Amino acid sequence: DAMLPWHYDLDNGENISVGDRLIRVQDICFTQKEVNDSFSHQQRPIMELIDNLLKGHTQPREVPRVRVAWHQGAFWSADNRRLYAFKHCNVDWLPVRVLRWDEQHEFEMKSKNGEKLRTEYAQRVHDQQRQAAAERYLTESRYRDYLARCTMMQWMFVVEMQGQVLPATIVKATPDGTFEAVVWNGQHHLLHPCLLPSQLWRNREVPEPQRLPAIDPGCMSYIVPSDLHSKLPRPWCGICGICVGSSSKDLKQHEQGHQGLFNCLDCPKKCKGSADLRRHSRKMSHRIPIQPEAQNPAISV
Ligand SMILES: [Zn+2]
Ligand SMILES: [Zn+2]
């Protein structure tokens, strides 16, 4: 079975790149033996988070990211209380922030101090709820895997945006478990940079979607993803469709000739270049244009 973007090989853990991504909760170790029963921040009880996760009122993605680092053959957590809650609630794949062990002093410190802290909640409590939560998280994981296998299937999905149901083509699955999709709003092709699986629904009006040629989505979008630049020998201008200069600095300079095109569609933000706009849209989950309006759409309807 093909590797999906969030899959990883524990035998080659040192090769897993840093940044935001999914990691299986079962693969993350505690750096401390026991955890306190409340969060240091505002003294919120850990039980509150557990309750909300079990009831589905809180999604793991809405909780501040657990920081993990690879060290001596395993992933270790710097946020043991949150990890405890996720483990207790049978969360399957967890959005985490992967850091280098050496870059965050807390990992070394926590693993050394061995401080005794209280744990009041045994695994026994909420047996039934935990089972239900496990099934729910498993269903989510399966749906995410299914979506990843449906990239470049033309208008296979719909998304709801600002009261409209719009057809969408998934163009990329990210290691963070989110999806980049091209959305058609009736007038323009837009790129949504980080859709959650729960935002993507099967489009009933396209029972047999066509698979689009497997072109790199970066080449059909003028907001070029940063990972494309690591693959290409020279930076790429998606507006001109050509390689530009030899460094990202050259591209920035080149893009000054395309002023007025790097604008967010969901807020008044205007950016100086494609990199800034992509960063903005990913951070805010705002839609950005997939290509300048003057050009023909890369995907025909
Ligand atoms: Zn250009
Ligand atoms: Zn915006």
mmCIF file of all heavy atoms in Angstrom, residues 10 54 64 72 112-113 122 126 134 149 166 192-193 200 208 222 245 253 262 266 275 279 301:
data_model
loop_
_atom_site.group_PDB
_atom_site.id
_atom_site.type_symbol
_atom_site.label_atom_id
_atom_site.label_comp_id
_atom_site.label_asym_id
_atom_site.label_seq_id
_atom_site.Cartn_x
_atom_site.Cartn_y
_atom_site.Cartn_z
ATOM 1 N N LEU A 10 8.962 4.152 11.596
ATOM 2 C CA LEU A 10 9.617 4.286 12.905
ATOM 3 C C LEU A 10 11.062 3.781 12.886
ATOM 4 O O LEU A 10 11.853 4.145 13.745
ATOM 5 C CB LEU A 10 8.820 3.543 13.982
ATOM 6 C CG LEU A 10 7.584 4.264 14.530
ATOM 7 C CD1 LEU A 10 6.884 3.396 15.561
ATOM 8 C CD2 LEU A 10 7.939 5.611 15.137
ATOM 9 N N LEU A 54 -14.050 13.159 24.808
ATOM 10 C CA LEU A 54 -14.892 11.956 24.756
ATOM 11 C C LEU A 54 -16.268 12.262 24.185
ATOM 12 O O LEU A 54 -16.839 11.472 23.451
ATOM 13 C CB LEU A 54 -15.027 11.335 26.153
ATOM 14 C CG LEU A 54 -13.780 10.630 26.688
ATOM 15 C CD1 LEU A 54 -14.002 10.166 28.119
ATOM 16 C CD2 LEU A 54 -13.391 9.453 25.806
ATOM 17 N N PRO A 64 -4.099 23.101 21.744
ATOM 18 C CA PRO A 64 -2.725 23.479 21.368
ATOM 19 C C PRO A 64 -1.867 22.241 21.099
ATOM 20 O O PRO A 64 -1.988 21.230 21.790
ATOM 21 C CB PRO A 64 -2.225 24.238 22.597
ATOM 22 C CG PRO A 64 -3.458 24.789 23.225
ATOM 23 C CD PRO A 64 -4.554 23.780 22.961
ATOM 24 N N GLN A 72 16.539 8.796 20.458
ATOM 25 C CA GLN A 72 16.867 7.415 20.832
ATOM 26 C C GLN A 72 15.756 6.431 20.465
ATOM 27 O O GLN A 72 15.266 5.674 21.293
ATOM 28 C CB GLN A 72 17.178 7.341 22.330
ATOM 29 C CG GLN A 72 18.439 8.136 22.674
ATOM 30 C CD GLN A 72 18.803 8.055 24.146
ATOM 31 O OE1 GLN A 72 17.983 7.677 24.971
ATOM 32 N NE2 GLN A 72 20.030 8.425 24.451
ATOM 33 N N LYS A 112 14.789 14.415 32.480
ATOM 34 C CA LYS A 112 15.757 14.262 33.568
ATOM 35 C C LYS A 112 15.132 14.426 34.944
ATOM 36 O O LYS A 112 15.484 13.732 35.877
ATOM 37 C CB LYS A 112 16.866 15.319 33.420
ATOM 38 C CG LYS A 112 18.054 14.829 32.614
ATOM 39 C CD LYS A 112 19.139 15.872 32.625
ATOM 40 C CE LYS A 112 20.227 15.551 31.609
ATOM 41 N NZ LYS A 112 20.984 16.727 31.233
ATOM 42 N N ASN A 113 14.203 15.366 35.060
ATOM 43 C CA ASN A 113 13.827 15.771 36.421
ATOM 44 C C ASN A 113 13.081 14.679 37.189
ATOM 45 O O ASN A 113 13.182 14.598 38.399
ATOM 46 C CB ASN A 113 13.082 17.105 36.427
ATOM 47 C CG ASN A 113 11.700 17.014 35.816
ATOM 48 O OD1 ASN A 113 11.191 15.920 35.558
ATOM 49 N ND2 ASN A 113 11.090 18.150 35.593
ATOM 50 N N ALA A 122 -7.581 6.773 36.591
ATOM 51 C CA ALA A 122 -7.165 5.448 36.126
ATOM 52 C C ALA A 122 -7.751 5.203 34.745
ATOM 53 O O ALA A 122 -8.713 5.840 34.342
ATOM 54 C CB ALA A 122 -7.659 4.390 37.098
ATOM 55 N N HIS A 126 -14.603 5.747 32.435
ATOM 56 C CA HIS A 126 -15.296 5.948 31.162
ATOM 57 C C HIS A 126 -15.007 4.874 30.127
ATOM 58 O O HIS A 126 -14.744 5.206 28.994
ATOM 59 C CB HIS A 126 -14.933 7.211 30.417
ATOM 60 C CG HIS A 126 -14.457 8.394 31.116
ATOM 61 N ND1 HIS A 126 -13.165 8.737 31.279
ATOM 62 C CD2 HIS A 126 -15.173 9.400 31.627
ATOM 63 C CE1 HIS A 126 -13.081 9.904 31.848
ATOM 64 N NE2 HIS A 126 -14.278 10.319 32.079
ATOM 65 N N ALA A 134 -12.812 5.763 20.479
ATOM 66 C CA ALA A 134 -11.839 5.038 19.657
ATOM 67 C C ALA A 134 -12.422 4.757 18.280
ATOM 68 O O ALA A 134 -11.754 4.927 17.256
ATOM 69 C CB ALA A 134 -11.445 3.732 20.336
ATOM 70 N N ARG A 149 -6.428 9.227 -1.219
ATOM 71 C CA ARG A 149 -6.359 8.411 -2.435
ATOM 72 C C ARG A 149 -7.232 8.983 -3.540
ATOM 73 O O ARG A 149 -7.281 8.445 -4.640
ATOM 74 C CB ARG A 149 -6.770 6.969 -2.116
ATOM 75 C CG ARG A 149 -5.786 6.323 -1.162
ATOM 76 C CD ARG A 149 -5.977 4.824 -1.012
ATOM 77 N NE ARG A 149 -4.885 4.279 -0.229
ATOM 78 C CZ ARG A 149 -4.950 4.067 1.087
ATOM 79 N NH1 ARG A 149 -6.063 4.314 1.738
ATOM 80 N NH2 ARG A 149 -3.910 3.614 1.736
ATOM 81 N N LEU A 166 -19.827 24.244 -2.886
ATOM 82 C CA LEU A 166 -19.009 24.412 -4.083
ATOM 83 C C LEU A 166 -18.262 23.124 -4.416
ATOM 84 O O LEU A 166 -17.784 22.433 -3.518
ATOM 85 C CB LEU A 166 -17.981 25.533 -3.852
ATOM 86 C CG LEU A 166 -18.533 26.869 -3.356
ATOM 87 C CD1 LEU A 166 -17.393 27.817 -3.006
ATOM 88 C CD2 LEU A 166 -19.436 27.491 -4.411
ATOM 89 N N HIS A 192 -8.027 26.352 -1.803
ATOM 90 C CA HIS A 192 -8.148 26.340 -0.348
ATOM 91 C C HIS A 192 -6.982 25.533 0.194
ATOM 92 O O HIS A 192 -6.807 24.378 -0.167
ATOM 93 C CB HIS A 192 -9.471 25.739 0.111
ATOM 94 C CG HIS A 192 -9.753 26.068 1.543
ATOM 95 N ND1 HIS A 192 -8.956 25.603 2.561
ATOM 96 C CD2 HIS A 192 -10.695 26.839 2.125
ATOM 97 C CE1 HIS A 192 -9.416 26.075 3.710
ATOM 98 N NE2 HIS A 192 -10.467 26.832 3.476
ATOM 99 N N PRO A 193 -6.162 26.148 1.048
ATOM 100 C CA PRO A 193 -4.893 25.503 1.402
ATOM 101 C C PRO A 193 -4.964 24.480 2.522
ATOM 102 O O PRO A 193 -4.051 23.690 2.674
ATOM 103 C CB PRO A 193 -4.026 26.681 1.839
ATOM 104 C CG PRO A 193 -5.014 27.659 2.385
ATOM 105 C CD PRO A 193 -6.290 27.488 1.612
ATOM 106 N N LEU A 200 -14.936 18.074 3.746
ATOM 107 C CA LEU A 200 -15.021 17.554 2.382
ATOM 108 C C LEU A 200 -16.080 16.459 2.307
ATOM 109 O O LEU A 200 -16.004 15.467 3.031
ATOM 110 C CB LEU A 200 -13.656 16.999 1.945
ATOM 111 C CG LEU A 200 -12.599 18.061 1.636
ATOM 112 C CD1 LEU A 200 -11.200 17.526 1.867
ATOM 113 C CD2 LEU A 200 -12.750 18.554 0.195
ATOM 114 N N GLU A 208 -19.110 9.623 -11.370
ATOM 115 C CA GLU A 208 -17.877 8.975 -11.825
ATOM 116 C C GLU A 208 -16.824 10.020 -12.177
ATOM 117 O O GLU A 208 -16.612 10.333 -13.345
ATOM 118 C CB GLU A 208 -18.165 8.083 -13.039
ATOM 119 C CG GLU A 208 -18.883 6.801 -12.647
ATOM 120 C CD GLU A 208 -19.270 5.966 -13.850
ATOM 121 O OE1 GLU A 208 -18.419 5.815 -14.751
ATOM 122 O OE2 GLU A 208 -20.412 5.491 -13.894
ATOM 123 N N TYR A 222 -0.403 29.621 -9.170
ATOM 124 C CA TYR A 222 0.681 30.593 -9.151
ATOM 125 C C TYR A 222 1.152 30.871 -7.742
ATOM 126 O O TYR A 222 2.119 31.569 -7.520
ATOM 127 C CB TYR A 222 0.312 31.868 -9.903
ATOM 128 C CG TYR A 222 -0.584 32.838 -9.202
ATOM 129 C CD1 TYR A 222 -0.088 34.025 -8.686
ATOM 130 C CD2 TYR A 222 -1.933 32.590 -9.096
ATOM 131 C CE1 TYR A 222 -0.921 34.938 -8.077
ATOM 132 C CE2 TYR A 222 -2.770 33.495 -8.488
ATOM 133 C CZ TYR A 222 -2.258 34.670 -7.979
ATOM 134 O OH TYR A 222 -3.081 35.562 -7.381
ATOM 135 N N GLY A 245 15.502 33.026 -12.143
ATOM 136 C CA GLY A 245 16.707 33.238 -11.350
ATOM 137 C C GLY A 245 17.214 31.957 -10.728
ATOM 138 O O GLY A 245 16.949 30.856 -11.217
ATOM 139 N N GLN A 253 12.022 39.180 -6.229
ATOM 140 C CA GLN A 253 12.251 40.365 -7.047
ATOM 141 C C GLN A 253 11.406 40.297 -8.324
ATOM 142 O O GLN A 253 10.763 41.262 -8.714
ATOM 143 C CB GLN A 253 13.734 40.457 -7.397
ATOM 144 C CG GLN A 253 14.154 41.858 -7.796
ATOM 145 C CD GLN A 253 15.673 41.960 -7.926
ATOM 146 O OE1 GLN A 253 16.391 40.961 -7.799
ATOM 147 N NE2 GLN A 253 16.160 43.143 -8.179
ATOM 148 N N PHE A 262 -1.289 39.161 -5.647
ATOM 149 C CA PHE A 262 -1.137 38.304 -4.471
ATOM 150 C C PHE A 262 -2.057 38.765 -3.348
ATOM 151 O O PHE A 262 -1.610 39.197 -2.294
ATOM 152 C CB PHE A 262 0.331 38.274 -4.035
ATOM 153 C CG PHE A 262 1.257 37.866 -5.146
ATOM 154 C CD1 PHE A 262 2.085 38.786 -5.764
ATOM 155 C CD2 PHE A 262 1.271 36.556 -5.597
ATOM 156 C CE1 PHE A 262 2.925 38.404 -6.795
ATOM 157 C CE2 PHE A 262 2.108 36.164 -6.633
ATOM 158 C CZ PHE A 262 2.934 37.095 -7.240
ATOM 159 N N ASP A 266 -10.468 36.122 1.087
ATOM 160 C CA ASP A 266 -11.389 36.111 2.222
ATOM 161 C C ASP A 266 -11.156 37.253 3.203
ATOM 162 O O ASP A 266 -11.875 37.387 4.181
ATOM 163 C CB ASP A 266 -11.287 34.775 2.966
ATOM 164 C CG ASP A 266 -11.941 33.644 2.178
ATOM 165 O OD1 ASP A 266 -12.859 33.947 1.392
ATOM 166 O OD2 ASP A 266 -11.548 32.485 2.343
ATOM 167 N N ALA A 275 4.926 33.541 -1.741
ATOM 168 C CA ALA A 275 5.271 32.843 -0.499
ATOM 169 C C ALA A 275 4.507 33.443 0.681
ATOM 170 O O ALA A 275 3.969 32.721 1.520
ATOM 171 C CB ALA A 275 6.772 32.922 -0.256
ATOM 172 N N ARG A 279 1.601 31.573 2.946
ATOM 173 C CA ARG A 279 1.755 31.488 4.395
ATOM 174 C C ARG A 279 0.515 32.056 5.085
ATOM 175 O O ARG A 279 -0.023 31.476 6.011
ATOM 176 C CB ARG A 279 3.014 32.252 4.825
ATOM 177 C CG ARG A 279 3.610 31.763 6.132
ATOM 178 C CD ARG A 279 4.919 32.481 6.465
ATOM 179 N NE ARG A 279 5.927 32.345 5.441
ATOM 180 C CZ ARG A 279 6.479 33.379 4.781
ATOM 181 N NH1 ARG A 279 6.131 34.611 5.046
ATOM 182 N NH2 ARG A 279 7.389 33.169 3.859
ATOM 183 N N VAL A 301 -14.163 23.102 -16.614
ATOM 184 C CA VAL A 301 -15.362 22.555 -15.967
ATOM 185 C C VAL A 301 -16.223 21.841 -17.003
ATOM 186 O O VAL A 301 -16.407 22.356 -18.086
ATOM 187 C CB VAL A 301 -16.182 23.675 -15.314
ATOM 188 C CG1 VAL A 301 -17.266 23.060 -14.446
ATOM 189 C CG2 VAL A 301 -15.291 24.558 -14.503
#
